[in-house]
Short mmCIF file of all heavy atoms in Angstrom, two decimals:
data_model
loop_
_atom_site.label_atom_id
_atom_site.label_comp_id
_atom_site.label_asym_id
_atom_site.label_seq_id
_atom_site.Cartn_x
_atom_site.Cartn_y
_atom_site.Cartn_z
N CYS A 285 25.36 -65.97 20.00
CA CYS A 285 23.90 -66.00 20.09
C CYS A 285 23.22 -64.68 19.75
O CYS A 285 22.00 -64.63 19.67
CB CYS A 285 23.48 -66.40 21.51
SG CYS A 285 23.98 -68.06 21.94
N GLY A 286 23.95 -63.64 19.54
CA GLY A 286 23.28 -62.36 19.28
C GLY A 286 24.19 -61.42 18.55
O GLY A 286 25.17 -61.81 17.95
N GLY A 287 23.84 -60.16 18.59
CA GLY A 287 24.66 -59.16 17.93
C GLY A 287 24.37 -59.09 16.45
O GLY A 287 23.36 -59.58 15.97
N THR A 288 25.30 -58.50 15.73
CA THR A 288 25.14 -58.34 14.30
C THR A 288 25.34 -59.68 13.62
O THR A 288 26.35 -60.33 13.83
CB THR A 288 26.17 -57.32 13.76
OG1 THR A 288 25.97 -56.11 14.47
CG2 THR A 288 25.98 -57.10 12.28
N PRO A 289 24.40 -60.12 12.78
CA PRO A 289 24.54 -61.40 12.11
C PRO A 289 25.76 -61.40 11.19
O PRO A 289 26.03 -60.44 10.50
CB PRO A 289 23.25 -61.53 11.30
CG PRO A 289 22.30 -60.59 11.95
CD PRO A 289 23.13 -59.48 12.52
N ASN A 290 26.47 -62.49 11.22
CA ASN A 290 27.62 -62.70 10.34
C ASN A 290 27.25 -63.85 9.42
O ASN A 290 26.86 -64.90 9.89
CB ASN A 290 28.83 -63.05 11.20
CG ASN A 290 30.05 -63.39 10.39
OD1 ASN A 290 29.97 -63.77 9.23
ND2 ASN A 290 31.21 -63.27 11.03
N PRO A 291 27.39 -63.70 8.11
CA PRO A 291 26.99 -64.75 7.18
C PRO A 291 27.68 -66.08 7.42
O PRO A 291 27.23 -67.11 6.95
CB PRO A 291 27.35 -64.19 5.81
CG PRO A 291 27.46 -62.73 5.99
CD PRO A 291 27.84 -62.51 7.42
N ASN A 292 28.77 -66.09 8.18
CA ASN A 292 29.46 -67.35 8.46
C ASN A 292 28.95 -68.03 9.72
O ASN A 292 29.34 -69.14 10.03
CB ASN A 292 30.97 -67.10 8.57
CG ASN A 292 31.53 -66.60 7.26
OD1 ASN A 292 31.15 -67.08 6.21
ND2 ASN A 292 32.40 -65.61 7.32
N ASN A 293 28.11 -67.33 10.48
CA ASN A 293 27.55 -67.90 11.70
C ASN A 293 26.34 -68.76 11.40
O ASN A 293 25.71 -68.62 10.36
CB ASN A 293 27.12 -66.80 12.67
CG ASN A 293 28.29 -66.09 13.30
OD1 ASN A 293 29.41 -66.59 13.30
ND2 ASN A 293 28.04 -64.92 13.83
N THR A 294 26.03 -69.61 12.32
CA THR A 294 24.76 -70.33 12.28
C THR A 294 24.11 -70.13 13.64
O THR A 294 24.76 -69.73 14.60
CB THR A 294 24.95 -71.84 12.02
OG1 THR A 294 25.79 -72.38 13.05
CG2 THR A 294 25.58 -72.09 10.67
N ARG A 295 22.85 -70.42 13.70
CA ARG A 295 22.14 -70.32 14.96
C ARG A 295 21.98 -71.73 15.52
O ARG A 295 21.96 -72.71 14.80
CB ARG A 295 20.76 -69.70 14.74
CG ARG A 295 20.87 -68.28 14.25
CD ARG A 295 19.51 -67.67 14.03
NE ARG A 295 18.78 -68.46 13.07
CZ ARG A 295 17.45 -68.46 12.97
NH1 ARG A 295 16.74 -67.73 13.74
NH2 ARG A 295 16.87 -69.19 12.07
N PHE A 296 21.81 -71.81 16.82
CA PHE A 296 21.63 -73.12 17.44
C PHE A 296 20.18 -73.56 17.42
O PHE A 296 19.87 -74.72 17.26
CB PHE A 296 22.13 -73.09 18.89
CG PHE A 296 23.59 -72.78 18.99
CD1 PHE A 296 24.03 -71.56 19.43
CD2 PHE A 296 24.54 -73.72 18.61
CE1 PHE A 296 25.37 -71.27 19.51
CE2 PHE A 296 25.89 -73.45 18.68
CZ PHE A 296 26.31 -72.22 19.13
N VAL A 297 19.26 -72.62 17.58
CA VAL A 297 17.84 -72.94 17.70
C VAL A 297 17.03 -71.91 16.91
O VAL A 297 17.32 -70.71 16.99
CB VAL A 297 17.40 -72.89 19.18
CG1 VAL A 297 15.93 -73.23 19.34
CG2 VAL A 297 18.25 -73.82 20.03
N PRO A 298 16.02 -72.34 16.16
CA PRO A 298 15.18 -71.35 15.47
C PRO A 298 14.37 -70.54 16.49
O PRO A 298 14.10 -70.99 17.59
CB PRO A 298 14.27 -72.19 14.59
CG PRO A 298 14.30 -73.55 15.15
CD PRO A 298 15.59 -73.71 15.89
N TYR A 299 13.99 -69.33 16.07
CA TYR A 299 13.07 -68.55 16.89
C TYR A 299 11.77 -69.32 17.01
O TYR A 299 11.38 -70.08 16.11
CB TYR A 299 12.79 -67.19 16.25
CG TYR A 299 13.97 -66.25 16.20
CD1 TYR A 299 14.18 -65.46 15.07
CD2 TYR A 299 14.85 -66.10 17.27
CE1 TYR A 299 15.24 -64.56 15.02
CE2 TYR A 299 15.90 -65.21 17.22
CZ TYR A 299 16.09 -64.45 16.09
OH TYR A 299 17.13 -63.57 16.03
N PRO A 300 11.02 -69.12 18.10
CA PRO A 300 9.75 -69.85 18.27
C PRO A 300 8.79 -69.62 17.10
O PRO A 300 8.10 -70.55 16.67
CB PRO A 300 9.17 -69.29 19.57
CG PRO A 300 10.33 -68.70 20.30
CD PRO A 300 11.33 -68.27 19.26
N GLU A 301 8.74 -68.40 16.57
CA GLU A 301 7.83 -68.10 15.46
C GLU A 301 8.22 -68.88 14.20
O GLU A 301 7.36 -69.28 13.43
CB GLU A 301 7.84 -66.60 15.16
CG GLU A 301 7.28 -65.74 16.28
CD GLU A 301 8.32 -65.40 17.34
OE1 GLU A 301 9.46 -65.92 17.30
OE2 GLU A 301 7.99 -64.61 18.24
N GLU A 302 9.51 -69.07 13.99
CA GLU A 302 9.97 -69.84 12.83
C GLU A 302 9.58 -71.30 12.97
O GLU A 302 9.10 -71.93 12.02
CB GLU A 302 11.49 -69.72 12.67
CG GLU A 302 11.96 -68.32 12.37
CD GLU A 302 13.44 -68.12 12.57
OE1 GLU A 302 14.08 -68.89 13.32
OE2 GLU A 302 13.96 -67.17 11.97
N ALA A 303 9.77 -71.85 14.17
CA ALA A 303 9.38 -73.23 14.42
C ALA A 303 7.87 -73.42 14.25
O ALA A 303 7.41 -74.46 13.79
CB ALA A 303 9.83 -73.66 15.81
N GLN A 304 7.10 -72.38 14.59
CA GLN A 304 5.64 -72.46 14.41
C GLN A 304 5.28 -72.60 12.94
O GLN A 304 4.28 -73.24 12.61
CB GLN A 304 4.96 -71.24 15.01
CG GLN A 304 4.96 -71.23 16.52
CD GLN A 304 4.40 -69.93 17.08
OE1 GLN A 304 3.91 -69.07 16.36
NE2 GLN A 304 4.48 -69.79 18.39
N VAL A 305 6.07 -72.01 12.06
CA VAL A 305 5.80 -72.13 10.62
C VAL A 305 5.86 -73.61 10.21
O VAL A 305 5.02 -74.07 9.45
CB VAL A 305 6.76 -71.26 9.77
CG1 VAL A 305 6.57 -71.53 8.29
CG2 VAL A 305 6.54 -69.79 10.07
N LEU A 306 6.82 -74.35 10.73
CA LEU A 306 6.90 -75.79 10.44
C LEU A 306 5.60 -76.48 10.85
O LEU A 306 5.04 -77.26 10.07
CB LEU A 306 8.09 -76.43 11.14
CG LEU A 306 8.20 -77.95 11.01
CD1 LEU A 306 8.44 -78.37 9.56
CD2 LEU A 306 9.33 -78.48 11.91
N GLY A 307 5.10 -76.20 12.03
CA GLY A 307 3.85 -76.80 12.48
C GLY A 307 2.67 -76.42 11.60
O GLY A 307 1.82 -77.27 11.28
N LEU A 308 2.61 -75.16 11.20
CA LEU A 308 1.52 -74.71 10.33
C LEU A 308 1.57 -75.40 8.97
O LEU A 308 0.54 -75.84 8.45
CB LEU A 308 1.58 -73.19 10.15
CG LEU A 308 1.28 -72.35 11.39
CD1 LEU A 308 1.69 -70.89 11.17
CD2 LEU A 308 -0.20 -72.45 11.73
N VAL A 309 2.77 -75.49 8.41
CA VAL A 309 2.91 -76.14 7.10
C VAL A 309 2.57 -77.62 7.20
O VAL A 309 1.86 -78.16 6.35
CB VAL A 309 4.32 -75.92 6.51
CG1 VAL A 309 4.53 -76.75 5.25
CG2 VAL A 309 4.55 -74.44 6.22
N ASN A 310 3.04 -78.29 8.23
CA ASN A 310 2.76 -79.72 8.37
C ASN A 310 1.27 -79.98 8.61
O ASN A 310 0.71 -80.95 8.08
CB ASN A 310 3.64 -80.36 9.44
CG ASN A 310 5.03 -80.62 8.93
OD1 ASN A 310 5.26 -80.74 7.72
ND2 ASN A 310 5.98 -80.71 9.84
N ALA A 311 0.61 -79.13 9.37
CA ALA A 311 -0.85 -79.27 9.55
C ALA A 311 -1.55 -79.05 8.22
O ALA A 311 -2.50 -79.77 7.88
CB ALA A 311 -1.36 -78.28 10.61
N PHE A 312 -1.09 -78.09 7.44
CA PHE A 312 -1.65 -77.80 6.12
C PHE A 312 -1.49 -79.00 5.19
O PHE A 312 -2.42 -79.39 4.50
CB PHE A 312 -0.90 -76.58 5.57
CG PHE A 312 -1.47 -75.98 4.32
CD1 PHE A 312 -2.62 -75.21 4.35
CD2 PHE A 312 -0.83 -76.14 3.10
CE1 PHE A 312 -3.12 -74.61 3.20
CE2 PHE A 312 -1.31 -75.55 1.95
CZ PHE A 312 -2.47 -74.79 2.00
N ARG A 313 -0.30 -79.59 5.20
CA ARG A 313 -0.01 -80.74 4.33
C ARG A 313 -0.76 -82.01 4.74
O ARG A 313 -0.91 -82.93 3.95
CB ARG A 313 1.49 -81.05 4.35
CG ARG A 313 2.32 -80.05 3.58
CD ARG A 313 3.81 -80.25 3.81
NE ARG A 313 4.34 -81.52 3.35
CZ ARG A 313 4.96 -81.71 2.18
NH1 ARG A 313 5.10 -80.70 1.34
NH2 ARG A 313 5.43 -82.90 1.87
N SER A 314 -1.23 -82.06 5.97
CA SER A 314 -1.85 -83.28 6.47
C SER A 314 -3.25 -83.55 5.90
O SER A 314 -3.80 -84.62 6.12
CB SER A 314 -1.94 -83.25 8.00
OG SER A 314 -2.91 -82.32 8.44
N GLN A 315 -3.79 -82.59 5.16
CA GLN A 315 -5.13 -82.75 4.59
C GLN A 315 -5.09 -82.47 3.09
O GLN A 315 -4.40 -81.57 2.63
CB GLN A 315 -6.10 -81.77 5.24
CG GLN A 315 -6.28 -81.98 6.72
CD GLN A 315 -7.22 -80.96 7.31
OE1 GLN A 315 -8.03 -80.35 6.62
NE2 GLN A 315 -7.13 -80.77 8.61
N ALA A 316 -5.88 -83.26 2.34
CA ALA A 316 -6.02 -83.00 0.91
C ALA A 316 -6.64 -81.62 0.73
O ALA A 316 -7.44 -81.17 1.56
CB ALA A 316 -6.90 -84.07 0.28
N ARG A 317 -6.24 -80.94 -0.35
CA ARG A 317 -6.80 -79.61 -0.57
C ARG A 317 -6.62 -79.17 -2.01
O ARG A 317 -5.84 -79.75 -2.75
CB ARG A 317 -6.20 -78.59 0.38
CG ARG A 317 -4.76 -78.28 0.19
CD ARG A 317 -4.22 -77.32 1.25
NE ARG A 317 -4.25 -77.88 2.58
CZ ARG A 317 -5.10 -77.48 3.55
NH1 ARG A 317 -5.95 -76.52 3.34
NH2 ARG A 317 -5.08 -78.04 4.73
N ALA A 318 -7.34 -78.12 -2.34
CA ALA A 318 -7.21 -77.49 -3.66
C ALA A 318 -6.33 -76.26 -3.52
O ALA A 318 -6.47 -75.48 -2.58
CB ALA A 318 -8.57 -77.10 -4.20
N CYS A 319 -5.42 -76.11 -4.46
CA CYS A 319 -4.59 -74.90 -4.57
C CYS A 319 -4.93 -74.30 -5.92
O CYS A 319 -4.46 -74.78 -6.95
CB CYS A 319 -3.11 -75.25 -4.47
SG CYS A 319 -2.63 -75.99 -2.90
N GLY A 320 -5.79 -73.29 -5.91
CA GLY A 320 -6.32 -72.78 -7.16
C GLY A 320 -7.17 -73.88 -7.78
O GLY A 320 -8.03 -74.46 -7.12
N ALA A 321 -6.92 -74.21 -9.04
CA ALA A 321 -7.67 -75.27 -9.73
C ALA A 321 -7.05 -76.64 -9.56
O ALA A 321 -7.59 -77.63 -10.03
CB ALA A 321 -7.77 -74.93 -11.22
N GLN A 322 -5.91 -76.71 -8.89
CA GLN A 322 -5.17 -77.97 -8.76
C GLN A 322 -5.51 -78.67 -7.44
O GLN A 322 -5.51 -78.04 -6.38
CB GLN A 322 -3.67 -77.65 -8.82
CG GLN A 322 -2.81 -78.81 -9.17
CD GLN A 322 -1.35 -78.35 -9.39
OE1 GLN A 322 -1.02 -77.19 -9.23
NE2 GLN A 322 -0.51 -79.30 -9.76
#
């Protein structure tokens, strides 16, 4: 669960801030919008 990251390890649970990104992106995707001219 801690220490120096090893590229062969995986984590069990994302950090809370990382999980918040999922919520932000999904809220963003839930509404039609313009991205630049598109």
Side-chain angles (χ1 to χ4, degrees):
C285 295
T288 303
N290 176 338
N292 297 319
N293 288 342
T294 58
R295 296 180 302 158
F296 298 106
V297 181
Y299 293 140
E301 295 85 353
E302 295 165 338
Q304 288 174 5
V305 173
L306 175 65
L308 292 167
V309 172
N310 282 336
F312 189 75
R313 287 171 63 97
S314 72
Q315 298 178 21
R317 67 184 65 251
C319 297
Q322 200 172 3

